[in-house]
Amino acid sequence: VVVALVAVWPLGALLAAPLLALPVAGMAGLGARIVRGMPVDVHDGFAAWRSHGRPALLLGTGAVLVALVLGVDLVLGIGSMGGPVGWALATGAIWALAGGWAVMLITWPLLLDPAAGRSLSDALRLAVRLAMLFPARTVALTVAATVVLIVATVLFAALATFAVAYVLVLAAVVVLPAPEPLPAWCA
């Protein structure tokens, strides 16, 4: 819905973007349950919406607002200001975006950990501490997640095309052998 809104009403997409935090919370909750060795069901993803909906929406809204401000700083620094001050502003915005992305990657599992029951502020505080205590691990996680998401974005059309082709081949495998010896009354 948010992607569709971008083409029709960009401001509406920006206003709806924090709602993406709900499915992210569901997936983070499922991931945390898997890592903890707990049984996983689709219902658990929706249960995360109920149990962590408000903190997830707060986290999503904060992330969108921070990214918006830093994105404006980046555009102003590169486009409008120029010179050493503009480049410094743009460089600071890029580093802050990278740091924010890293903190978000760490915060989601901490917030949705079924064994901990942390509040949003506790999860954010712990995420910042972990990022500072384990910088190599944080950078590796951030780079790996970024590469996976960039590749998935670039290959989306190819993956979607492959999925459609696979479904059609599967349909042919299932359907075509069925009417081989077709009875005369069906023909």
Side-chain angles (χ1 to χ4, degrees):
V1 171
V2 173
V3 173
L5 276 175
V6 170
V8 180
W9 186 38
L11 179 60
L14 184 64
L15 295 173
L19 294 176
L20 293 173
L22 291 174
V24 170
M27 290 181 278
L30 290 173
R33 290 180 67 84
I34 290 168
V35 168
R36 292 287 182 199
M38 301 171 78
V40 177
D41 191 340
V42 173
H43 171 73
D44 296 325
F46 293 110
W49 293 18
R50 286 190 300 280
S51 64
H52 292 84
R54 183 173 288 153
L57 288 173
L58 284 171
L59 187 59
T61 302
V64 167
L65 290 174
V66 168
L68 181 65
V69 168
L70 292 172
V72 168
D73 287 350
L74 179 64
V75 169
L76 286 176
I78 292 174
S80 299
M81 296 175 76
V85 173
W87 285 104
L89 181 64
T91 302
I94 288 172
W95 279 108
L97 283 166
W101 172 234
V103 168
M104 286 294 103
L105 286 171
I106 298 169
T107 301
W108 281 109
L110 292 173
L111 179 63
L112 277 293
D113 185 1
R118 291 181 188 90
S119 68
L120 176 57
S121 60
D122 290 342
L124 279 168
R125 197 173 9 260
L126 184 55
V128 170
R129 286 181 185 150
L130 288 173
M132 292 170 56
L133 287 171
F134 302 103
R137 183 181 291 188
T138 301
V139 169
L141 169 65
T142 305
V143 169
T146 303
V147 167
V148 166
L149 292 175
I150 288 172
V151 168
T153 301
V154 170
L155 295 179
F156 176 75
L159 291 173
T161 303
F162 173 78
V164 170
Y166 177 77
V167 166
L168 292 173
V169 169
L170 178 64
V173 167
V174 171
V175 172
L176 292 181
E180 284 303 323
L182 219 95
W185 60 271
C186 287

